[in-house]
Amino acid sequence: MTRRFDALTWYAVLFVAFLYGPVLLMPLFSVNDANFATFPLSGFTLRHYGAMAANASMMQALGNSLWVAVGVAVVSTALALPAALALARYRLPGKGPILGFIMLPLVVPSIVLGVALLVVIIQILGLRLSLWTVAAGHLMLCIPFAIVVLMSRLEGFDPSLEEASRDLGAPGLSTFLRVTLPLAAPGVISSLLLCFIISFDEFVISFFLTGTDTTLPVFLFSQLRFPNRLPGTLALGSLILLGSAVLVILAEAMRRRGLPSGGNP
Amino acid sequence: MASAGRSARTGAALLAPAFLVMAATLAAPLAALILLSFWTQDGFTIDRSLTLANYARVLTLSDEPTVWNGIPFPFAYPVPAILLVKSLTMSLVATAAVILIAWPMAYFLAFRVTRHKAVWIILLTIPFWTSYLLRVFAWKIVLGYNGAVNSGLMSLGIIREPLEFLLYNPVAVTITLAHSWIAFAVLPIYVSLDKIDRSLLEAASDLGDSRWARFRRITLPLSMPGTISATLLVFIPTVGDYVTPTLVGGPTGTMIGNLVQQLFTRQDNAPLGAAISILTMLVIAVLVLLFLRLVGWRHMRGRG
């Protein structure tokens, strides 16, 4: 019995090593005093980070990404909260197909979503590509995730609390503001953080919809082709990974907060 | 009941804003893509008469070499059908690998982890949310000519010259695809394993079933809903992947997504690109339905 436990535990450890190993090479080489990502390591340096901070076009791309991600996170969550409420609480005809349609971006390859939006924007609407078109693409990608997160939160607490509030005479909006929203708050924060992350890290759709103003991943992609820019790329990549990981942990912590912690979280 | 009607109306009103945005950014673009696939393009002019010419071209062997940025295009004979079959094969291999590797991990999570379950789950989800582009790029660092594997083996004295066959081939693409999606596969399998009523296993044990018999007759069948979702969640998006073949694929590791990107962004032939996208989605849909018919519906509708 003990021996079997060991084998499976070792497997889990190896699994996590396989999952994180390649990714962690990036921060490792980003502080390595060399211009290629090679072993043996040749000494610790922060010069790649210094060079990166001095790169004006990169800071511009970072600013663009932050604006788009904040906007997309707020708008997707604002649209998803009433939708999640409707899907979790109300008896709607055709709920299944509607939910299936909204979840479509999770299974359609993103390149198809990207070119489809490109067709509408260029061929049909005749608009120019800009950060607005990028944001529209991100919105389509984030709304399904926001709805999933918020629905799981809304299903996690007792609807009789809302009924009690209505029975005591609070009108719909008042019940929403004073009962539903506070109970849903951790889910709302989690949704904001996840949408921010998805938008901030999104590459394929941005790649198709970006105009002259690029977002950080699109900028990063343009740097990947130049071997002499590798160290700066590694530094930028490491910071993106670190920032994303911190926000994911925060989002998960919020999502789990106050959920019933039984055997099936 | 009057209140039920009002409830449905309020529900529809609450759902409407998100639904309208999804209609504008998802349904309308997909419809436009379908329409575009029936048009044709010659140079920069688009002919709007409806035709199946693009779909016919996908299956037609072409022997005119394509030139891209002055250099011959990686696949000199752009036969989208062959590229689609290649993409499906690479995705299927990656999906099979992902399910095989993820399953024991999910089992560990469901049956062995008793404390800190949430910590394990967060640990496994972090890579999924953080940059996909960077996870793919990481494999370039691992497998590259000057990469971690080559320089590591050389500094250990195992090889003298860097191995060139590690990167820029279909195997590198398949490994990278598998790595990128593996965390996504563990969770659905874990959820269905975790739902299994432990008393079923105890009962089987009391009635004299061996460990293997319990696994084969209880654990494995009851894990099927999650295993099936995991299979679909990995297979469907990987077929059209664009980032992985671009970064680690090289000349022989290109996939259908690369061709679609070429046709759209270089103003080459967007209608043909649209037809290839639609056809790719159709082929995926047919394969998924076949898969569900073979193994799925019974399990999907069961306890899942």
Side-chain angles (χ1 to χ4, degrees):
Chain A
M1 190 65 199
T2 317
R3 220 175 58 80
R4 272 180 57 85
F5 179 89
D6 283 348
L8 203 54
T9 309
W10 272 111
Y11 185 86
V13 171
L14 276 176
F15 185 96
V16 172
F18 170 66
L19 199 58
Y20 283 86
V23 176
L24 291 181
L25 286 176
M26 212 176 300
L28 178 70
F29 286 125
S30 78
V31 294
N32 184 34
D33 196 0
N35 289 327
F36 290 101
T38 53
F39 288 116
L41 300 173
S42 52
F44 179 84
T45 178
L46 286 176
R47 71 185 160 96
H48 303 321
Y49 286 85
M52 187 195 73
N55 186 335
S57 53
M58 202 177 80
M59 290 302 126
Q60 177 71 44
L62 171 67
N64 292 342
S65 271
L66 289 174
W67 273 116
V68 170
V70 168
V72 165
V74 171
V75 176
S76 337
T77 306
L79 291 169
L81 183 60
L85 208 60
L87 291 165
R89 289 276 187 278
Y90 292 82
R91 212 185 289 183
L92 289 172
K95 187 193 275 190
I98 291 173
L99 197 59
F101 163 68
I102 292 178
M103 297 303 149
L104 214 53
L106 297 179
V107 288
V108 175
S110 12
I111 187 164
V112 176
L113 301 172
V115 295
L117 268 161
L118 188 69
V119 168
V120 166
I121 289 162
I122 300 283
Q123 315 258 13
I124 295 180
L125 298 175
L127 294 173
R128 284 182 49 196
L129 295 175
S130 66
L131 289 177
W132 291 102
T133 56
V134 172
H138 289 189
L139 209 55
M140 178 262 293
L141 209 57
C142 287
I143 288 175
F145 281 105
I147 289 180
V148 169
V149 167
L150 289 166
M151 269 177 80
S152 80
R153 176 72 205 175
L154 291 172
E155 277 159 1
F157 67 78
D158 194 345
S160 59
L161 291 169
E162 290 167 337
E163 280 161 31
S165 163
R166 271 193 290 271
D167 289 349
L168 291 171
L173 187 64
S174 172
T175 296
F176 174 77
L177 290 175
R178 294 165 74 171
V179 179
T180 314
L181 197 57
L183 281 166
V188 171
I189 295 171
S190 173
S191 161
L192 286 170
L193 290 169
L194 284 183
C195 292
F196 179 89
I197 283 289
I198 293 170
S199 168
F200 193 75
D201 281 338
E202 210 291 320
F203 169 70
V204 178
I205 288 175
S206 317
F207 177 72
F208 285 101
L209 301 182
T210 204
T212 42
D213 276 343
T214 61
T215 61
L216 205 54
V218 178
F219 175 82
L220 186 70
F221 187 76
S222 72
Q223 304 296 295
L224 296 180
R225 281 180 295 156
F226 304 104
N228 60 332
R229 295 196 194 153
L230 181 72
T233 311
L234 290 173
L236 173 58
S238 307
L239 287 184
I240 295 180
L241 282 177
L242 181 71
S244 306
V246 168
L247 288 180
V248 174
I249 293 169
L250 280 177
E252 265 299 301
M254 287 319 283
R255 196 178 69 78
R256 284 166 185 282
R257 201 163 169 189
L259 282 183
S261 56
N264 309 318
Chain B
M1 213 166 82
S3 77
R6 194 162 61 227
S7 167
R9 254 202 309 279
T10 319
L14 289 172
L15 189 62
F19 186 81
L20 289 177
V21 171
M22 292 307 282
T25 55
L26 178 66
L30 287 178
L33 196 68
I34 293 172
L35 182 62
L36 182 67
S37 75
F38 292 109
W39 293 350
T40 46
Q41 183 172 343
D42 186 23
F44 280 97
T45 49
I46 287 191
D47 178 358
R48 302 196 170 191
S49 47
L50 300 180
T51 162
L52 285 170
N54 295 314
Y55 289 94
R57 232 184 111 179
V58 172
L59 298 166
T60 311
L61 287 169
S62 152
D63 50 13
E64 50 184 287
T66 313
V67 175
W68 175 58
N69 272 358
I71 45 171
F73 198 53
F75 28 96
Y77 301 89
V79 186
I82 289 176
L83 210 53
L84 180 55
V85 171
K86 199 173 90 179
S87 302
L88 291 168
T89 312
M90 283 154 82
S91 282
L92 279 172
V93 173
T95 307
V98 160
I99 299 299
L100 285 176
I101 300 171
W103 217 96
M105 183 66 215
Y107 185 88
F108 170 81
L109 210 55
F111 285 91
R112 294 297 162 84
V113 178
T114 44
R115 299 171 58 205
H116 309 304
K117 227 173 222 202
V119 175
W120 274 97
I121 291 171
I122 291 178
L123 193 68
L124 294 173
T125 32
I126 289 172
F128 173 67
W129 296 109
T130 54
S131 178
Y132 178 48
L133 178 67
L134 289 174
R135 277 178 287 143
V136 177
F137 177 54
W139 279 95
K140 217 173 137 146
I141 303 177
V142 173
L143 300 175
Y145 187 77
N146 285 312
V149 169
N150 272 331
S151 59
L153 288 176
M154 275 164 66
S155 62
L156 289 172
I158 296 171
I159 53 170
R160 284 166 181 279
E161 294 286 312
L163 306 169
E164 286 190 45
F165 60 81
L166 295 176
L167 196 60
Y168 302 129
N169 59 53
V171 178
V173 174
T174 309
I175 293 175
T176 309
L177 283 178
H179 177 258
S180 297
W181 290 91
I182 204 156
F184 212 5
V186 175
L187 291 179
I189 302 174
Y190 157 74
V191 169
S192 58
L193 284 173
D194 205 49
K195 270 190 198 154
I196 295 176
D197 189 344
R198 301 302 195 266
S199 58
L200 289 173
L201 293 166
E202 278 167 32
S205 178
D206 291 347
L207 293 170
D209 258 0
S210 69
R211 185 187 289 278
W212 167 243
R214 271 180 289 157
F215 179 79
R216 196 173 51 80
R217 302 214 300 211
I218 298 170
T219 315
L220 199 56
L222 289 182
S223 82
M224 283 314 277
T227 309
I228 291 168
S229 333
T231 308
L232 299 181
L233 280 173
V234 176
F235 175 68
I236 298 172
T238 49
V239 180
D241 188 34
Y242 161 72
V243 179
T244 304
T246 304
L247 288 179
V248 302
T252 58
T254 46
M255 290 173 76
I256 197 78
N258 300 79
L259 181 59
V260 171
Q261 187 262 332
Q262 295 293 327
L263 291 169
F264 269 95
T265 57
R266 305 214 64 266
Q267 304 277 324
D268 276 334
N269 196 336
L272 181 60
I276 294 171
S277 307
I278 303 295
L279 214 57
T280 305
M281 287 199 299
L282 279 179
V283 171
I284 293 174
V286 168
L287 285 179
V288 166
L289 288 176
L290 273 176
F291 173 75
L292 286 176
R293 165 146 291 194
L294 280 175
V295 296
W297 293 124
R298 199 161 42 98
H299 296 297
M300 291 298 266
R301 302 221 165 151
R303 291 156 178 273

PDB file of all heavy atoms in Angstrom, chain B residues 61-87:
ATOM      1  N   LEU B  61      -5.339  19.186 -56.370  1.00  0.00           N
ATOM      2  CA  LEU B  61      -3.878  19.241 -56.317  1.00  0.00           C
ATOM      3  C   LEU B  61      -3.411  20.421 -57.149  1.00  0.00           C
ATOM      4  O   LEU B  61      -3.807  20.583 -58.291  1.00  0.00           O
ATOM      5  CB  LEU B  61      -3.292  17.947 -56.886  1.00  0.00           C
ATOM      6  CG  LEU B  61      -3.426  16.718 -56.009  1.00  0.00           C
ATOM      7  CD1 LEU B  61      -3.064  15.476 -56.794  1.00  0.00           C
ATOM      8  CD2 LEU B  61      -2.555  16.837 -54.780  1.00  0.00           C
ATOM      9  N   SER B  62      -2.576  21.233 -56.548  1.00  0.00           N
ATOM     10  CA  SER B  62      -2.051  22.368 -57.281  1.00  0.00           C
ATOM     11  C   SER B  62      -0.555  22.170 -57.450  1.00  0.00           C
ATOM     12  O   SER B  62       0.114  21.717 -56.530  1.00  0.00           O
ATOM     13  CB  SER B  62      -2.322  23.650 -56.502  1.00  0.00           C
ATOM     14  OG  SER B  62      -1.351  24.604 -56.811  1.00  0.00           O
ATOM     15  N   ASP B  63      -0.028  22.491 -58.613  1.00  0.00           N
ATOM     16  CA  ASP B  63       1.414  22.311 -58.753  1.00  0.00           C
ATOM     17  C   ASP B  63       2.136  23.629 -59.022  1.00  0.00           C
ATOM     18  O   ASP B  63       3.263  23.654 -59.435  1.00  0.00           O
ATOM     19  CB  ASP B  63       1.752  21.280 -59.833  1.00  0.00           C
ATOM     20  CG  ASP B  63       1.030  21.562 -61.129  1.00  0.00           C
ATOM     21  OD1 ASP B  63       0.466  22.687 -61.259  1.00  0.00           O
ATOM     22  OD2 ASP B  63       0.996  20.701 -62.005  1.00  0.00           O
ATOM     23  N   GLU B  64       1.419  24.736 -58.756  1.00  0.00           N
ATOM     24  CA  GLU B  64       2.133  25.999 -58.868  1.00  0.00           C
ATOM     25  C   GLU B  64       2.785  26.312 -57.527  1.00  0.00           C
ATOM     26  O   GLU B  64       2.119  26.346 -56.498  1.00  0.00           O
ATOM     27  CB  GLU B  64       1.178  27.135 -59.268  1.00  0.00           C
ATOM     28  CG  GLU B  64      -0.060  27.204 -58.402  1.00  0.00           C
ATOM     29  CD  GLU B  64      -1.047  28.263 -58.855  1.00  0.00           C
ATOM     30  OE1 GLU B  64      -0.739  29.432 -58.642  1.00  0.00           O
ATOM     31  OE2 GLU B  64      -2.104  27.902 -59.387  1.00  0.00           O
ATOM     32  N   PRO B  65       4.108  26.517 -57.530  1.00  0.00           N
ATOM     33  CA  PRO B  65       4.781  26.789 -56.266  1.00  0.00           C
ATOM     34  C   PRO B  65       4.370  28.158 -55.711  1.00  0.00           C
ATOM     35  O   PRO B  65       4.178  29.104 -56.475  1.00  0.00           O
ATOM     36  CB  PRO B  65       6.264  26.764 -56.633  1.00  0.00           C
ATOM     37  CG  PRO B  65       6.331  26.770 -58.105  1.00  0.00           C
ATOM     38  CD  PRO B  65       4.999  26.493 -58.679  1.00  0.00           C
ATOM     39  N   THR B  66       4.189  28.237 -54.406  1.00  0.00           N
ATOM     40  CA  THR B  66       3.802  29.498 -53.787  1.00  0.00           C
ATOM     41  C   THR B  66       5.053  30.203 -53.279  1.00  0.00           C
ATOM     42  O   THR B  66       5.947  29.567 -52.738  1.00  0.00           O
ATOM     43  CB  THR B  66       2.871  29.228 -52.603  1.00  0.00           C
ATOM     44  OG1 THR B  66       1.896  28.297 -53.044  1.00  0.00           O
ATOM     45  CG2 THR B  66       2.206  30.494 -52.131  1.00  0.00           C
ATOM     46  N   VAL B  67       5.100  31.504 -53.469  1.00  0.00           N
ATOM     47  CA  VAL B  67       6.244  32.260 -52.973  1.00  0.00           C
ATOM     48  C   VAL B  67       5.759  33.195 -51.877  1.00  0.00           C
ATOM     49  O   VAL B  67       4.716  33.824 -51.996  1.00  0.00           O
ATOM     50  CB  VAL B  67       6.911  33.056 -54.105  1.00  0.00           C
ATOM     51  CG1 VAL B  67       8.025  33.926 -53.564  1.00  0.00           C
ATOM     52  CG2 VAL B  67       7.450  32.107 -55.158  1.00  0.00           C
ATOM     53  N   TRP B  68       6.512  33.246 -50.798  1.00  0.00           N
ATOM     54  CA  TRP B  68       6.113  34.049 -49.647  1.00  0.00           C
ATOM     55  C   TRP B  68       7.303  34.880 -49.216  1.00  0.00           C
ATOM     56  O   TRP B  68       8.370  34.329 -48.946  1.00  0.00           O
ATOM     57  CB  TRP B  68       5.654  33.122 -48.524  1.00  0.00           C
ATOM     58  CG  TRP B  68       5.331  33.815 -47.259  1.00  0.00           C
ATOM     59  CD1 TRP B  68       4.418  34.790 -47.061  1.00  0.00           C
ATOM     60  CD2 TRP B  68       5.936  33.586 -45.989  1.00  0.00           C
ATOM     61  NE1 TRP B  68       4.400  35.181 -45.761  1.00  0.00           N
ATOM     62  CE2 TRP B  68       5.327  34.460 -45.078  1.00  0.00           C
ATOM     63  CE3 TRP B  68       6.949  32.728 -45.539  1.00  0.00           C
ATOM     64  CZ2 TRP B  68       5.679  34.495 -43.746  1.00  0.00           C
ATOM     65  CZ3 TRP B  68       7.297  32.773 -44.203  1.00  0.00           C
ATOM     66  CH2 TRP B  68       6.652  33.648 -43.317  1.00  0.00           C
ATOM     67  N   ASN B  69       7.150  36.192 -49.218  1.00  0.00           N
ATOM     68  CA  ASN B  69       8.252  37.103 -48.865  1.00  0.00           C
ATOM     69  C   ASN B  69       9.500  36.824 -49.707  1.00  0.00           C
ATOM     70  O   ASN B  69      10.613  36.874 -49.210  1.00  0.00           O
ATOM     71  CB  ASN B  69       8.621  36.951 -47.393  1.00  0.00           C
ATOM     72  CG  ASN B  69       7.777  37.866 -46.531  1.00  0.00           C
ATOM     73  OD1 ASN B  69       6.950  38.623 -47.054  1.00  0.00           O
ATOM     74  ND2 ASN B  69       7.972  37.791 -45.238  1.00  0.00           N
ATOM     75  N   GLY B  70       9.307  36.482 -50.969  1.00  0.00           N
ATOM     76  CA  GLY B  70      10.447  36.262 -51.829  1.00  0.00           C
ATOM     77  C   GLY B  70      11.072  34.882 -51.732  1.00  0.00           C
ATOM     78  O   GLY B  70      11.827  34.475 -52.596  1.00  0.00           O
ATOM     79  N   ILE B  71      10.711  34.137 -50.671  1.00  0.00           N
ATOM     80  CA  ILE B  71      11.261  32.784 -50.580  1.00  0.00           C
ATOM     81  C   ILE B  71      10.142  31.786 -50.848  1.00  0.00           C
ATOM     82  O   ILE B  71       8.978  32.069 -50.559  1.00  0.00           O
ATOM     83  CB  ILE B  71      11.888  32.492 -49.194  1.00  0.00           C
ATOM     84  CG1 ILE B  71      10.963  33.001 -48.092  1.00  0.00           C
ATOM     85  CG2 ILE B  71      13.262  33.106 -49.085  1.00  0.00           C
ATOM     86  CD1 ILE B  71      11.383  32.572 -46.715  1.00  0.00           C
ATOM     87  N   PRO B  72      10.470  30.620 -51.389  1.00  0.00           N
ATOM     88  CA  PRO B  72       9.423  29.635 -51.649  1.00  0.00           C
ATOM     89  C   PRO B  72       8.708  29.287 -50.355  1.00  0.00           C
ATOM     90  O   PRO B  72       9.340  29.127 -49.312  1.00  0.00           O
ATOM     91  CB  PRO B  72      10.192  28.434 -52.197  1.00  0.00           C
ATOM     92  CG  PRO B  72      11.466  28.991 -52.687  1.00  0.00           C
ATOM     93  CD  PRO B  72      11.788  30.169 -51.806  1.00  0.00           C
ATOM     94  N   PHE B  73       7.410  29.197 -50.415  1.00  0.00           N
ATOM     95  CA  PHE B  73       6.597  28.870 -49.249  1.00  0.00           C
ATOM     96  C   PHE B  73       6.994  27.484 -48.742  1.00  0.00           C
ATOM     97  O   PHE B  73       7.308  26.615 -49.548  1.00  0.00           O
ATOM     98  CB  PHE B  73       5.124  28.896 -49.675  1.00  0.00           C
ATOM     99  CG  PHE B  73       4.196  29.005 -48.522  1.00  0.00           C
ATOM    100  CD1 PHE B  73       4.355  30.005 -47.590  1.00  0.00           C
ATOM    101  CD2 PHE B  73       3.158  28.101 -48.371  1.00  0.00           C
ATOM    102  CE1 PHE B  73       3.503  30.112 -46.524  1.00  0.00           C
ATOM    103  CE2 PHE B  73       2.296  28.206 -47.302  1.00  0.00           C
ATOM    104  CZ  PHE B  73       2.470  29.213 -46.383  1.00  0.00           C
ATOM    105  N   PRO B  74       7.012  27.301 -47.399  1.00  0.00           N
ATOM    106  CA  PRO B  74       7.474  26.026 -46.842  1.00  0.00           C
ATOM    107  C   PRO B  74       6.918  24.800 -47.569  1.00  0.00           C
ATOM    108  O   PRO B  74       7.656  23.893 -47.886  1.00  0.00           O
ATOM    109  CB  PRO B  74       6.992  26.088 -45.407  1.00  0.00           C
ATOM    110  CG  PRO B  74       6.987  27.531 -45.087  1.00  0.00           C
ATOM    111  CD  PRO B  74       6.713  28.266 -46.373  1.00  0.00           C
ATOM    112  N   PHE B  75       5.620  24.806 -47.829  1.00  0.00           N
ATOM    113  CA  PHE B  75       5.094  23.669 -48.594  1.00  0.00           C
ATOM    114  C   PHE B  75       4.870  24.173 -50.021  1.00  0.00           C
ATOM    115  O   PHE B  75       3.987  24.964 -50.295  1.00  0.00           O
ATOM    116  CB  PHE B  75       3.823  23.087 -48.000  1.00  0.00           C
ATOM    117  CG  PHE B  75       3.004  24.071 -47.236  1.00  0.00           C
ATOM    118  CD1 PHE B  75       1.937  24.728 -47.834  1.00  0.00           C
ATOM    119  CD2 PHE B  75       3.299  24.353 -45.898  1.00  0.00           C
ATOM    120  CE1 PHE B  75       1.192  25.633 -47.131  1.00  0.00           C
ATOM    121  CE2 PHE B  75       2.545  25.285 -45.200  1.00  0.00           C
ATOM    122  CZ  PHE B  75       1.494  25.926 -45.822  1.00  0.00           C
ATOM    123  N   ALA B  76       5.725  23.743 -50.926  1.00  0.00           N
ATOM    124  CA  ALA B  76       5.719  24.273 -52.282  1.00  0.00           C
ATOM    125  C   ALA B  76       4.412  23.961 -52.996  1.00  0.00           C
ATOM    126  O   ALA B  76       4.005  24.676 -53.888  1.00  0.00           O
ATOM    127  CB  ALA B  76       6.890  23.707 -53.060  1.00  0.00           C
ATOM    128  N   TYR B  77       3.756  22.892 -52.621  1.00  0.00           N
ATOM    129  CA  TYR B  77       2.491  22.535 -53.245  1.00  0.00           C
ATOM    130  C   TYR B  77       1.387  22.716 -52.227  1.00  0.00           C
ATOM    131  O   TYR B  77       1.184  21.862 -51.377  1.00  0.00           O
ATOM    132  CB  TYR B  77       2.531  21.097 -53.754  1.00  0.00           C
ATOM    133  CG  TYR B  77       3.625  20.913 -54.757  1.00  0.00           C
ATOM    134  CD1 TYR B  77       4.900  20.553 -54.355  1.00  0.00           C
ATOM    135  CD2 TYR B  77       3.368  21.136 -56.097  1.00  0.00           C
ATOM    136  CE1 TYR B  77       5.904  20.415 -55.282  1.00  0.00           C
ATOM    137  CE2 TYR B  77       4.379  20.996 -57.028  1.00  0.00           C
ATOM    138  CZ  TYR B  77       5.647  20.644 -56.622  1.00  0.00           C
ATOM    139  OH  TYR B  77       6.646  20.517 -57.530  1.00  0.00           O
ATOM    140  N   PRO B  78       0.718  23.848 -52.240  1.00  0.00           N
ATOM    141  CA  PRO B  78      -0.243  24.112 -51.170  1.00  0.00           C
ATOM    142  C   PRO B  78      -1.498  23.260 -51.335  1.00  0.00           C
ATOM    143  O   PRO B  78      -2.430  23.641 -52.007  1.00  0.00           O
ATOM    144  CB  PRO B  78      -0.553  25.599 -51.337  1.00  0.00           C
ATOM    145  CG  PRO B  78      -0.270  25.884 -52.761  1.00  0.00           C
ATOM    146  CD  PRO B  78       0.734  24.904 -53.249  1.00  0.00           C
ATOM    147  N   VAL B  79      -1.480  22.115 -50.749  1.00  0.00           N
ATOM    148  CA  VAL B  79      -2.643  21.242 -50.809  1.00  0.00           C
ATOM    149  C   VAL B  79      -3.301  21.288 -49.433  1.00  0.00           C
ATOM    150  O   VAL B  79      -2.894  20.577 -48.528  1.00  0.00           O
ATOM    151  CB  VAL B  79      -2.237  19.813 -51.171  1.00  0.00           C
ATOM    152  CG1 VAL B  79      -3.462  18.966 -51.382  1.00  0.00           C
ATOM    153  CG2 VAL B  79      -1.380  19.823 -52.409  1.00  0.00           C
ATOM    154  N   PRO B  80      -4.311  22.151 -49.276  1.00  0.00           N
ATOM    155  CA  PRO B  80      -4.904  22.323 -47.951  1.00  0.00           C
ATOM    156  C   PRO B  80      -5.412  21.021 -47.353  1.00  0.00           C
ATOM    157  O   PRO B  80      -5.294  20.817 -46.143  1.00  0.00           O
ATOM    158  CB  PRO B  80      -6.063  23.287 -48.217  1.00  0.00           C
ATOM    159  CG  PRO B  80      -5.677  24.012 -49.460  1.00  0.00           C
ATOM    160  CD  PRO B  80      -4.902  23.032 -50.279  1.00  0.00           C
ATOM    161  N   ALA B  81      -5.938  20.137 -48.208  1.00  0.00           N
ATOM    162  CA  ALA B  81      -6.487  18.895 -47.676  1.00  0.00           C
ATOM    163  C   ALA B  81      -5.418  18.081 -46.960  1.00  0.00           C
ATOM    164  O   ALA B  81      -5.651  17.539 -45.876  1.00  0.00           O
ATOM    165  CB  ALA B  81      -7.122  18.083 -48.799  1.00  0.00           C
ATOM    166  N   ILE B  82      -4.226  18.021 -47.570  1.00  0.00           N
ATOM    167  CA  ILE B  82      -3.135  17.252 -46.961  1.00  0.00           C
ATOM    168  C   ILE B  82      -2.715  17.903 -45.643  1.00  0.00           C
ATOM    169  O   ILE B  82      -2.494  17.227 -44.637  1.00  0.00           O
ATOM    170  CB  ILE B  82      -1.941  17.163 -47.934  1.00  0.00           C
ATOM    171  CG1 ILE B  82      -2.320  16.244 -49.098  1.00  0.00           C
ATOM    172  CG2 ILE B  82      -0.688  16.662 -47.233  1.00  0.00           C
ATOM    173  CD1 ILE B  82      -1.276  16.151 -50.176  1.00  0.00           C
ATOM    174  N   LEU B  83      -2.664  19.237 -45.662  1.00  0.00           N
ATOM    175  CA  LEU B  83      -2.283  19.962 -44.461  1.00  0.00           C
ATOM    176  C   LEU B  83      -3.312  19.749 -43.348  1.00  0.00           C
ATOM    177  O   LEU B  83      -2.962  19.623 -42.173  1.00  0.00           O
ATOM    178  CB  LEU B  83      -2.177  21.450 -44.805  1.00  0.00           C
ATOM    179  CG  LEU B  83      -1.181  22.264 -44.012  1.00  0.00           C
ATOM    180  CD1 LEU B  83       0.187  21.623 -44.054  1.00  0.00           C
ATOM    181  CD2 LEU B  83      -1.125  23.677 -44.549  1.00  0.00           C
ATOM    182  N   LEU B  84      -4.571  19.687 -43.727  1.00  0.00           N
ATOM    183  CA  LEU B  84      -5.630  19.469 -42.742  1.00  0.00           C
ATOM    184  C   LEU B  84      -5.492  18.087 -42.117  1.00  0.00           C
ATOM    185  O   LEU B  84      -5.570  17.936 -40.883  1.00  0.00           O
ATOM    186  CB  LEU B  84      -7.011  19.638 -43.407  1.00  0.00           C
ATOM    187  CG  LEU B  84      -8.221  19.439 -42.505  1.00  0.00           C
ATOM    188  CD1 LEU B  84      -8.148  20.349 -41.282  1.00  0.00           C
ATOM    189  CD2 LEU B  84      -9.514  19.715 -43.261  1.00  0.00           C
ATOM    190  N   VAL B  85      -5.235  17.074 -42.961  1.00  0.00           N
ATOM    191  CA  VAL B  85      -5.059  15.720 -42.433  1.00  0.00           C
ATOM    192  C   VAL B  85      -3.852  15.688 -41.493  1.00  0.00           C
ATOM    193  O   VAL B  85      -3.905  15.080 -40.417  1.00  0.00           O
ATOM    194  CB  VAL B  85      -4.893  14.702 -43.592  1.00  0.00           C
ATOM    195  CG1 VAL B  85      -4.481  13.336 -43.061  1.00  0.00           C
ATOM    196  CG2 VAL B  85      -6.190  14.603 -44.380  1.00  0.00           C
ATOM    197  N   LYS B  86      -2.784  16.388 -41.878  1.00  0.00           N
ATOM    198  CA  LYS B  86      -1.593  16.425 -41.028  1.00  0.00           C
ATOM    199  C   LYS B  86      -1.902  17.095 -39.680  1.00  0.00           C
ATOM    200  O   LYS B  86      -1.495  16.599 -38.629  1.00  0.00           O
ATOM    201  CB  LYS B  86      -0.474  17.181 -41.750  1.00  0.00           C
ATOM    202  CG  LYS B  86       0.891  16.883 -41.176  1.00  0.00           C
ATOM    203  CD  LYS B  86       1.988  17.509 -42.000  1.00  0.00           C
ATOM    204  CE  LYS B  86       2.286  18.887 -41.486  1.00  0.00           C
ATOM    205  NZ  LYS B  86       3.362  19.560 -42.222  1.00  0.00           N
ATOM    206  N   SER B  87      -2.650  18.219 -39.736  1.00  0.00           N
ATOM    207  CA  SER B  87      -3.011  18.902 -38.492  1.00  0.00           C
ATOM    208  C   SER B  87      -3.837  17.993 -37.598  1.00  0.00           C
ATOM    209  O   SER B  87      -3.619  17.930 -36.385  1.00  0.00           O
ATOM    210  CB  SER B  87      -3.837  20.154 -38.789  1.00  0.00           C
ATOM    211  OG  SER B  87      -3.123  21.016 -39.607  1.00  0.00           O
TER     212      SER B  87
END
